[in-house]
Amino acid sequence: MEKIIIVGGNVLRGKVKPSGSKNSALPIMAASLLSTEPIILHHVPRLVDIETMAQVMEVLGAKVEWTGDHDLRIDPVGLSSYEAPYDLVRRMRASIYVLGPLIARLKKAKVSLPGGCSFGPRPVDLHLKGIEALGGKVSLEHGYIMVNADELVGAKMNLAGASGPSRGASSNVMMAASLAEGVTVINGAAQEPELIQLQDFINSMGGKVSGAGSDKLTIEGVSQLKGSEFEIMDDYIEAGTYLVAGAMAGEVVTVEGDFSTNLKPVLASLEETGARLEVSEGKVTVHGNPRPNAVNITTAPYPGFPTDMQAQMMAYLCRGRGTSVIRDTIYPDRFNHAQELLRLGADIVREDGSAFINGVEELSGAYLMASDLRASAALILAGLVARGETHVRRIYHIDRGYERIEEKLGQLGAEIRREEEE
Ligand code: EPU
């Protein structure tokens, strides 16, 4: 196993570019299975999660190969199996994205139930509700979701759950409905940019989807989808992570790429902390602000503050002036990073889905354990400003969602390296 070691205190300067969005690439890879011809995707990030999705698709009979550094060719012609096995799905929840395409193409699916994750339960009831509305007969057997459908027929449904809309369920149903008979209307749909990308991708294959970006999706089923070439958008969460790094440890850091619209609530929070931002087309520049004003953040479904940026902001607010409060309404238990930040000298109190962060003057390096992807990023950011060395262990989480993070931060001037654990 590897760990990342950061020697805190270096000032970050310069430019960095986000990779392609993991959370956009994953459903789009799965959606390639809807096509009967090869697909070419550009700007695909080189990440463990992408490799896992490629393996899931190969088990199903598709061919997936890198044709360039970030170009992926997917040939779905051999799609023949309808089973996504436990061993792969347990590694990555997003494997469930193959459910919709499998039902659409093969009228049959057997996909392992993904189970919870380190930050709490992550149910799939809304995925199943949508699939059933289209005519899929769903049962749960031996830990697997089993679906059979004689035919899929468009339907009107509401997919908002108790904690709001679901990105995964909206995507899965959008994919299944794109080859169904007739029109499907999804009310209470997730509004994330990832849904817009998925819509655009399906339409590029000849599909008829509209409404993405709003809470109502309309999908007119077509009989077949064809090959296409498509560019994955920049990863706005990765971009946001580097902006927070810049605010924490930077002099002037510019993050290049098209992500500022998707990151609006994060940019607003950064400004509230007193960090000076310059937002222009194709880039955002942040000026260092090592002792932020205390702010309150409540995560919410898009266009609210993303839960995927909450941990990184917490790392920043550890050195705040006053008490900040972070409340995660999407995943009330997504605070594993808080207990590790305490080891650096942070003062954080957790209470019912909220964390109270009492700003301290300085952090001091320590051995830390990463528990999930965004928590790993937060611990690395904290290490950038902690006195001395911080060792972040179980770093395999970071490789699921950040491409070459140590190189990108190193390029900005951080002293950071990866080592085999002793
Ligand atoms: N939910 C249900 N029932 C369902 C599905 C979801 O109640 O059937 C609830 C969830 O428990 C949660 C909320 O709805 O409270 C939102 O979940 P959603 O389905 O939108 O999440 P997801 O699609 O499983 C994606 C991202 C996550 C991100 C969440 C929330 C991907 C591959 N994953 O997950 O990303 O945290 O949306 O924004 O897009 C990450 O990148 O680190 C990550 C965890």
Side-chain angles (χ1 to χ4, degrees):
M1 247 193 275
E2 291 177 324
K3 64 178 175 181
I4 281 186
I5 301 168
I6 309 116
V7 183
N10 281 16
V11 177
L12 308 187
R13 289 185 195 89
K15 293 179 187 164
V16 64
K17 275 193 185 144
S19 302
S21 160
K22 161 182 85 82
N23 288 347
S24 185
L26 290 170
I28 285 176
M29 286 174 74
S32 303
L33 295 173
L34 293 167
S35 163
T36 46
E37 292 173 353
I39 302 291
I40 309 280
L41 301 177
H42 299 295
H43 201 35
V44 183
R46 288 283 191 152
L47 298 169
V48 172
D49 274 9
I50 299 292
E51 298 299 343
T52 305
M53 183 57 93
Q55 282 178 36
V56 173
M57 295 177 61
E58 293 204 321
V59 164
L60 300 174
K63 281 203 192 99
V64 184
E65 58 173 333
W66 292 101
T67 53
D69 265 0
H70 294 97
D71 308 309
L72 207 55
R73 183 178 188 276
I74 299 173
D75 185 348
V77 174
L79 175 68
S80 52
S81 167
Y82 57 86
E83 177 175 343
Y86 172 70
D87 188 45
L88 288 171
V89 179
R90 75 178 169 82
R91 282 196 241 157
M92 183 184 70
R93 287 184 53 83
S95 313
I96 197 172
Y97 278 130
V98 299
L99 186 64
L102 283 178
I103 302 158
R105 287 288 309 284
L106 305 177
K107 304 284 180 290
K108 213 173 159 85
K110 179 178 177 189
V111 176
S112 172
L113 268 169
C117 68
S118 68
F119 49 81
R122 293 178 71 183
V124 294
D125 56 314
L126 298 171
H127 296 247
L128 305 186
K129 178 181 173 187
I131 299 294
E132 279 182 329
L134 295 178
K137 291 179 198 65
V138 179
S139 58
L140 299 179
E141 284 170 37
H142 309 297
Y144 278 80
I145 304 165
M146 315 280 288
V147 186
N148 277 292
D150 297 332
E151 53 171 357
L152 290 181
V153 182
K156 197 170 172 183
M157 63 188 84
N158 190 315
L159 287 188
S163 12
S166 157
R167 186 189 307 183
S170 305
S171 305
N172 240 332
V173 178
M174 186 199 286
M175 292 188 274
S178 64
L179 288 178
E181 187 72 38
V183 177
T184 297
V185 176
I186 306 176
N187 286 305
Q191 301 179 39
E192 271 94 346
E194 286 82 351
L195 270 296
I196 302 181
Q197 278 247 299
L198 184 60
Q199 162 184 289
D200 292 350
F201 174 61
I202 293 175
N203 290 345
S204 78
M205 297 190 290
K208 291 187 178 163
V209 185
S210 60
S214 77
D215 64 354
K216 180 177 171 184
L217 299 171
T218 304
I219 306 119
E220 206 179 309
V222 296
S223 57
Q224 205 178 12
L225 292 168
K226 54 184 177 32
S228 144
E229 197 166 336
F230 193 80
E231 172 106 8
I232 304 295
M233 69 179 173
D234 285 332
D235 191 324
Y236 61 101
I237 299 295
E238 186 196 6
T241 303
Y242 291 124
L243 285 175
V244 175
M248 290 171 78
E251 186 184 64
V252 185
V253 169
T254 299
V255 184
E256 296 178 320
D258 288 317
F259 56 82
S260 57
T261 317
N262 298 339
L263 206 56
K264 262 193 191 146
V266 175
L267 300 184
S269 286
L270 279 170
E271 285 188 319
E272 217 188 317
T273 66
R276 191 152 69 81
L277 297 179
E278 289 156 44
V279 182
S280 51
E281 209 179 317
K283 63 179 180 191
V284 178
T285 296
V286 62
H287 295 255
N289 183 43
R291 301 286 322 266
N293 302 329
V295 297
N296 294 341
I297 293 171
T298 300
T299 69
Y302 193 88
F305 191 99
T307 170
D308 291 345
M309 279 301 300
Q310 173 262 101
Q312 302 88 314
M313 283 300 281
M314 187 184 291
Y316 176 34
L317 295 171
C318 283
R319 298 190 63 219
R321 298 178 192 277
T323 300
S324 301
V325 185
I326 297 184
R327 194 161 89 84
D328 198 324
T329 66
I330 314 281
Y331 300 118
D333 290 327
R334 194 180 197 176
F335 287 122
N336 288 332
H337 41 284
Q339 65 222 33
E340 296 301 297
L341 291 168
L342 294 182
R343 296 177 49 74
L344 297 178
D347 178 357
I348 303 168
V349 180
R350 277 190 58 188
E351 215 180 273
D352 295 341
S354 295
F356 296 80
I357 305 122
N358 303 309
V360 296
E361 217 168 299
E362 66 164 23
L363 301 175
S364 67
Y367 275 74
L368 305 177
M369 194 85 89
S371 56
D372 66 75
L373 171 57
R374 306 302 167 189
S376 320
L379 301 183
I380 291 174
L381 296 192
L384 294 175
V385 297
R387 195 167 29 84
E389 279 196 0
T390 296
H391 294 232
V392 184
R393 302 174 61 198
R394 298 221 178 133
I395 207 62
Y396 53 85
H397 291 290
I398 203 93
D399 296 326
R400 298 186 52 186
Y402 288 87
E403 189 175 339
R404 299 181 288 108
I405 191 170
E406 70 275 28
E407 270 177 51
K408 290 190 184 187
L409 286 172
Q411 187 187 311
L412 291 175
E415 189 172 342
I416 178 168
R417 62 183 193 276
R418 184 185 288 252
E419 266 181 19
E420 248 338 291
E421 291 242 28
E422 59 277 1

